[in-house]
Amino acid sequence: MYLKSIEVNGFKSFANKLLFEFHNGITCIVGPNGSGKSNVGDAVRWVLGEQSAKQLRGASMQDVIFAGTQNRKPQSSAYVAITLDNSDHALAIDFDEVTVARRVYRSGESEYLINGSICRLRDVQELFYDTGIGKEGYSIIGQGQIDRILSTRPEDRRELFDEAAGIVKFKRRKLETVRKLDREHQDLARITDIVNELERRVGPLSRQSETARTYLKLREELKKMDVRLFSMEYGTHEKRLAETEDRLTIVKDELADTQTEEEKLKARYEELEDRLSGLESLIEGARTGSSEAEMEAKAAEGEIGVFREQIRAARDREGSIGGRLEELAASLAAHEKDIETVTAREEEAAGKREAALAEADARQAAYVEAQKRQEDNRRETEDKNAALMAAMNEAADTAAQAEGAKARLAADTARLEVIEGQLAASGSDEDRVKARLAEEEKKAAAAARQVTELDGVYRNLTERQDELAGETRRLSDEAFAAGQKYHAAHSRAESLRAIAERYEGYSGTVRAVMERRKDYPGIRGVVADLIHTEAKYETAVETALGGAMQNIVTDTQYTAKRIIGMLKAERLGRATFLPLDGIETDAGKLPPSALTAKGVIGPASRLVTADKDLAGLVDSLLGRIIVCENMDTALELAGKFRHSLRIVTLDGEFLRPGGSITGGAYKTKGNLLGRRREIEESEKTAASWKKRQEECEAGLKRAADESEYLRAQLEAVGEERKTREVERQTAAVTCEQIRAELARIGDGTRDLSGERDALKESIQAQQAEGKEREETIRTAQEAVERIRGELAALAEAEKTLREAAEAASAEVTAVQLSVTELTAGAGFIRQEKDRLAAEMQAIREEQERLSSGVSEIEAGIAEREEAIKDHEVRIAALRQTAADSAEEQRVHQEEKDRLQKEQKQFFDRREELTGKSSLLDRELIRLESQRETHLSWLEDRAAYLYSEYEMTPSEAEAYAGDEDDSMGVTALRAGVAEHKRAIKALGPVNVNAIDEYKEVSERYEFMKTQYNDLVASE
């Protein structure tokens, strides 16, 4: 056997189909890095079943498919096939040449092929067992394979040796055989479980099947009677429904007739209303027309009066206009004389003004000449003042410079004295500063030691605080866990208490009686609530009591009788009562030898506790039942006494007289007897966890207090450390400052020596400059005195010139004032002349206006006299119109009175029809209610029939048609009720139990056969 060829298409870098053919000898594939040499080995590993993408140097199996390049599209699948020569039949297959192929698609689907036939990966692996060929075989050594083989685990390396030794196939077969055996054992265990389960179900299903058959029989009889009763009652209700609908039709017709008549009456009434409304409008129109005509006549009469008054006023005005025209003519003549007088005055004022203007011009020329001489004197004075100020400034500047030089000389002299003193004090200051430096260095060292000590204290406090934080977390977790467990236990106790209060787990009848416990004071309680026992005896006692746990204990038989009467009356079911005054004890009937036998714990009555007055009840219920430790002891004791005793084991097996044994595992356990114990235990558990939670919370509080104390201490230590650190840093800074001061003192001494020498030279130069400044000041003061004499002469000349200018200015002002007065007088004369001319024009215009007004007044008088004649004619016509409208109003009012009388008759008829309609409405409602009642009954019964028997009324009629009619409705109802009670007495019925019993029985027999076959084969 040897490798003949490898075909690759779309695998990794092999985009095109490529065929590698191998001949005799060694075939090598060479090439540079990245050319795809390793992909050939990966292709062989992949086709032989490699499932790890990581081994193929990829992230997922889709990475082996050619992903494409910039110039080529990606492939949709990858395919690799290897062809082996099998002429020596080294491979267990009847072919001389074997081709193994693998293909994977981008969708994730893949397939294996052997000689073109699709196969499984397992088939490929089995084909190469013991050949040394495989994805992990020694025949394929890839990159890093040698290193991995040498560094791998021994058990993994052994697989290579097993492959080389040729024992892999047998080890795989052994492993598969062991797996098959394990599956067989599992199947056998499952079949055993199924057989046990089916065996457990066969008995109950058999009883349920019998109950179901009885139920189906009663159900069929109930169906016949119920359908017959429905058929009889259905016909009666249909007949009554038909009668009701006939009567309903009659009432509807009567109601429709009544309503039609009401509509006609209403239409006639509305017609009368419209007619009356129209008449009212006509009457109102006639009344309005008469009133309006009368009002227009009165208005015309008023207008005539106005016209006559206007004529009288116009004649009066015409007379006053004549008098005014005469007055205007006289006023016009007087204004003409005034104008002549004003014109003469105007000519005289013009001559005077011309003479005044000539004199004003001469005075003004003299004034201008005086001002020019005054301006020349003022300019010369200003020049002299400027020269005086320059001389004074020069003297002052030189004096100021002299004073400044003196001050600087004095300052330099004083500074020289100070420097001499400072130089003398420098030596003593340097000694003093050095002493301060030594003192501050001691302070800094002491503060540094204190800081180190405080760091240690702070570190210790921090470690204790961390310890407290850990303790706080632990206590917090414990408190949280304790709180959760407390709430769980408390919730369980509350749930159990609520269950106990609701009597859950008891029958509905027992719950109903206990809910009415207050109504019956004689009820002591339920047996399970009245007796108590230890937890280890609960199963035994609960098994011994059985259904008696739900029996109700009363004080007397009379109380039990009352409660039973209530249950009957309200149909609440049945219950068993244990009256204390009627219970007999049987405790003494147990043989003493049975109680002393090995493994016997004692009578069940001795294992429970109850109130003293319930001792007889406890003996009655449990006095004849023996409790044993286990089943073996119970069987031995039962055999010894020939199965005449009642025996209960601690695990709950019950051996009854006659040999019957009840046992097995409880599917669900109500644990009615242990409820109170569970409540108490849950409350105790809750209390203990509550206590633990409180302890943890107290610890948390203590830890919090200590943590707060430590925090305060840390803050205090931190503050103290800060203070000491500040002191240390302050001392260090002070030392640096003192050292700087020492350096500054040395520098200052040198500076002062240089400054002292410079000052001495400056003082000598300033003394020489002082003498020169004194000479300059004396020369400047002499020039100032000379210029002041010249300014005094100029000031005297200025006074003479100013007086001459003021005199000339006064004369000019007087002449100008005279010209102004003459000009103003001429203006007033012109204004008076213009006023008189305007008044004369106004008089002439008023004369013309009054002349035209006289003619207009005459025309107006004639027009108003004509209007008076027209109004008199119109008043006569309006009086006639008013009379006609009054007559029309009277006619319409008579028609309105007649229609109103007719309208009153409709109200009585309307009341009559309304009453009749109301009665018919009530009758209609009553009949519709009856019809709805019948329809509802029919629908309800039809729905009941369909829901109970899936029958329609027609099908029920057909079904009941062949039945005997001898039974009446009463007898049928009684039969139906009796059958329902019988069906209810059966309790919950599994109708499918018949088929289930048959199916389970057949399956039970089949599984037993399978079990026997498996046991036999094993």
Coordinates of all heavy atoms in Angstrom, one line a residue, residues 376-412:
D376 N -2.2 148.0 19.9 CA -0.7 148.1 19.8 C -0.1 148.2 21.2 O 0.9 147.5 21.5 CB -0.3 149.4 19.0 CG -0.8 149.3 17.5 OD1 -1.0 148.1 17.1 OD2 -0.9 150.3 16.9
N377 N -0.6 149.0 22.1 CA -0.1 149.1 23.4 C -0.2 147.7 24.2 O 0.7 147.3 24.9 CB -0.9 150.2 24.2 CG -0.2 150.4 25.6 OD1 0.9 150.9 25.7 ND2 -0.9 150.1 26.6
R378 N -1.2 147.0 23.9 CA -1.4 145.7 24.6 C -0.4 144.7 24.2 O 0.1 143.9 24.9 CB -2.8 145.2 24.3 CG -3.2 143.9 25.2 CD -4.6 143.4 24.9 NE -5.6 144.4 25.3 CZ -6.3 145.1 24.4 NH1 -6.3 144.9 23.1 NH2 -7.2 146.0 24.9
R379 N 0.0 144.7 22.8 CA 1.0 143.7 22.3 C 2.3 144.0 22.9 O 3.1 143.1 23.3 CB 1.0 143.8 20.8 CG -0.1 143.0 20.1 CD 0.3 142.8 18.7 NE 0.4 144.0 17.9 CZ -0.7 144.6 17.3 NH1 -1.9 144.1 17.3 NH2 -0.5 145.8 16.7
E380 N 2.7 145.3 23.1 CA 4.0 145.7 23.6 C 4.0 145.3 25.1 O 5.1 144.7 25.6 CB 4.2 147.2 23.5 CG 5.6 147.6 24.0 CD 5.8 149.1 23.8 OE1 4.9 149.8 23.3 OE2 6.9 149.6 24.2
T381 N 2.9 145.4 25.8 CA 2.9 145.0 27.2 C 3.1 143.5 27.4 O 3.8 143.0 28.3 CB 1.5 145.4 27.9 OG1 1.4 146.8 27.7 CG2 1.4 145.0 29.3
E382 N 2.4 142.7 26.5 CA 2.6 141.2 26.5 C 4.0 140.8 26.3 O 4.5 139.9 26.9 CB 1.7 140.6 25.5 CG 0.2 140.7 25.8 CD -0.7 140.2 24.7 OE1 -0.2 139.8 23.7 OE2 -1.9 140.1 25.0
D383 N 4.7 141.5 25.4 CA 6.1 141.2 25.1 C 7.0 141.4 26.3 O 7.8 140.6 26.7 CB 6.7 142.0 23.9 CG 6.0 141.6 22.6 OD1 5.4 140.5 22.5 OD2 6.0 142.4 21.7
K384 N 6.7 142.6 27.0 CA 7.5 142.9 28.2 C 7.2 141.8 29.3 O 8.1 141.4 30.1 CB 7.2 144.3 28.7 CG 7.6 145.4 27.8 CD 9.1 145.4 27.6 CE 9.5 146.6 26.7 NZ 11.0 146.6 26.5
N385 N 5.9 141.4 29.4 CA 5.6 140.4 30.5 C 6.3 139.1 30.2 O 6.7 138.4 31.1 CB 4.1 140.2 30.5 CG 3.3 141.3 31.2 OD1 3.8 141.8 32.2 ND2 2.1 141.7 30.8
A386 N 6.4 138.7 28.9 CA 7.1 137.4 28.5 C 8.5 137.5 28.9 O 9.1 136.5 29.5 CB 6.9 137.2 27.0
A387 N 9.2 138.7 28.7 CA 10.6 138.8 29.0 C 10.8 138.7 30.5 O 11.7 138.1 31.1 CB 11.1 140.1 28.5
L388 N 9.8 139.4 31.3 CA 9.8 139.4 32.7 C 9.7 137.9 33.3 O 10.4 137.5 34.1 CB 8.7 140.3 33.3 CG 8.6 140.2 34.8 CD1 9.8 140.8 35.5 CD2 7.4 141.1 35.3
M389 N 8.8 137.2 32.7 CA 8.5 135.8 33.1 C 9.8 134.9 32.9 O 10.1 134.1 33.7 CB 7.3 135.2 32.4 CG 6.0 135.8 32.9 SD 5.7 135.6 34.7 CE 5.6 133.8 34.8
A390 N 10.4 135.1 31.7 CA 11.6 134.3 31.4 C 12.7 134.6 32.4 O 13.4 133.7 32.9 CB 12.1 134.7 30.0
A391 N 12.9 135.9 32.7 CA 13.9 136.3 33.7 C 13.6 135.7 35.1 O 14.5 135.2 35.8 CB 14.1 137.8 33.8
M392 N 12.4 135.8 35.5 CA 12.0 135.3 36.8 C 12.1 133.8 36.8 O 12.6 133.2 37.8 CB 10.5 135.7 37.1 CG 10.4 137.2 37.4 SD 8.6 137.6 37.6 CE 8.3 136.8 39.1
N393 N 11.7 133.1 35.7 CA 11.8 131.6 35.7 C 13.3 131.2 35.8 O 13.6 130.2 36.5 CB 11.2 131.0 34.4 CG 9.7 131.1 34.4 OD1 9.1 131.1 35.5 ND2 9.1 131.2 33.2
E394 N 14.2 131.9 35.1 CA 15.6 131.5 35.1 C 16.1 131.7 36.5 O 16.8 130.8 37.0 CB 16.4 132.4 34.1 CG 17.9 132.1 34.1 CD 18.6 133.0 33.1 OE1 18.0 133.8 32.5 OE2 19.8 132.7 32.9
A395 N 15.7 132.8 37.2 CA 16.2 133.0 38.6 C 15.7 131.9 39.5 O 16.4 131.4 40.3 CB 15.8 134.4 39.0
A396 N 14.3 131.6 39.3 CA 13.7 130.6 40.2 C 14.4 129.2 39.9 O 14.6 128.4 40.8 CB 12.2 130.5 39.9
D397 N 14.6 128.8 38.6 CA 15.2 127.5 38.3 C 16.5 127.4 38.9 O 16.9 126.4 39.5 CB 15.3 127.3 36.8 CG 13.9 127.1 36.2 OD1 12.9 126.8 36.9 OD2 13.8 127.3 34.9
T398 N 17.3 128.5 38.8 CA 18.7 128.5 39.3 C 18.6 128.3 40.8 O 19.4 127.6 41.5 CB 19.5 129.7 38.9 OG1 19.5 129.8 37.5 CG2 20.9 129.6 39.4
A399 N 17.7 129.1 41.5 CA 17.5 129.0 43.0 C 17.1 127.6 43.4 O 17.6 127.0 44.4 CB 16.5 130.0 43.4
A400 N 16.1 127.0 42.6 CA 15.7 125.7 42.9 C 16.8 124.7 42.8 O 16.9 123.8 43.6 CB 14.5 125.3 42.0
Q401 N 17.6 124.8 41.7 CA 18.7 123.9 41.6 C 19.7 124.0 42.7 O 20.3 123.0 43.2 CB 19.4 124.2 40.2 CG 18.6 123.8 39.0 CD 19.3 124.2 37.7 OE1 20.5 124.7 37.7 NE2 18.6 124.0 36.6
A402 N 19.9 125.3 43.2 CA 20.8 125.5 44.3 C 20.2 124.9 45.5 O 21.0 124.2 46.3 CB 21.0 127.0 44.5
E403 N 18.9 125.0 45.8 CA 18.3 124.4 46.9 C 18.4 122.9 46.9 O 18.7 122.2 47.8 CB 16.8 124.8 47.1 CG 16.6 126.2 47.4 CD 17.2 126.6 48.8 OE1 17.2 125.7 49.7 OE2 17.7 127.7 49.0
G404 N 18.1 122.3 45.6 CA 18.2 120.8 45.4 C 19.7 120.3 45.7 O 19.9 119.3 46.3
A405 N 20.6 121.1 45.2 CA 22.0 120.7 45.4 C 22.3 120.7 46.9 O 23.0 119.9 47.4 CB 22.9 121.7 44.6
K406 N 21.8 121.8 47.6 CA 22.0 121.8 49.1 C 21.4 120.6 49.8 O 22.0 120.0 50.6 CB 21.4 123.1 49.6 CG 22.2 124.4 49.2 CD 21.6 125.6 49.8 CE 22.3 126.9 49.4 NZ 21.7 128.1 49.9
A407 N 20.1 120.3 49.3 CA 19.5 119.1 49.9 C 20.2 117.8 49.7 O 20.4 117.0 50.5 CB 18.0 119.0 49.4
R408 N 20.7 117.7 48.4 CA 21.4 116.5 48.1 C 22.7 116.4 48.9 O 23.1 115.3 49.3 CB 21.7 116.4 46.6 CG 20.5 116.0 45.7 CD 20.9 115.7 44.3 NE 21.6 116.8 43.6 CZ 20.9 117.7 42.9 NH1 19.6 117.7 42.9 NH2 21.6 118.7 42.3
L409 N 23.4 117.6 49.0 CA 24.6 117.6 49.8 C 24.4 117.2 51.2 O 25.1 116.4 51.8 CB 25.2 119.0 49.7 CG 26.5 119.2 50.5 CD1 27.6 118.3 49.9 CD2 27.0 120.7 50.4
A410 N 23.2 117.7 51.8 CA 22.9 117.4 53.2 C 22.5 115.9 53.3 O 22.9 115.2 54.2 CB 21.7 118.2 53.7
A411 N 21.8 115.4 52.2 CA 21.4 113.9 52.3 C 22.6 113.0 52.1 O 22.7 112.0 52.8 CB 20.4 113.6 51.1
D412 N 23.5 113.4 51.2 CA 24.7 112.6 51.1 C 25.6 112.6 52.3 O 26.1 111.6 52.7 CB 25.5 113.1 49.9 CG 24.9 112.9 48.5 OD1 23.9 112.0 48.5 OD2 25.2 113.5 47.5

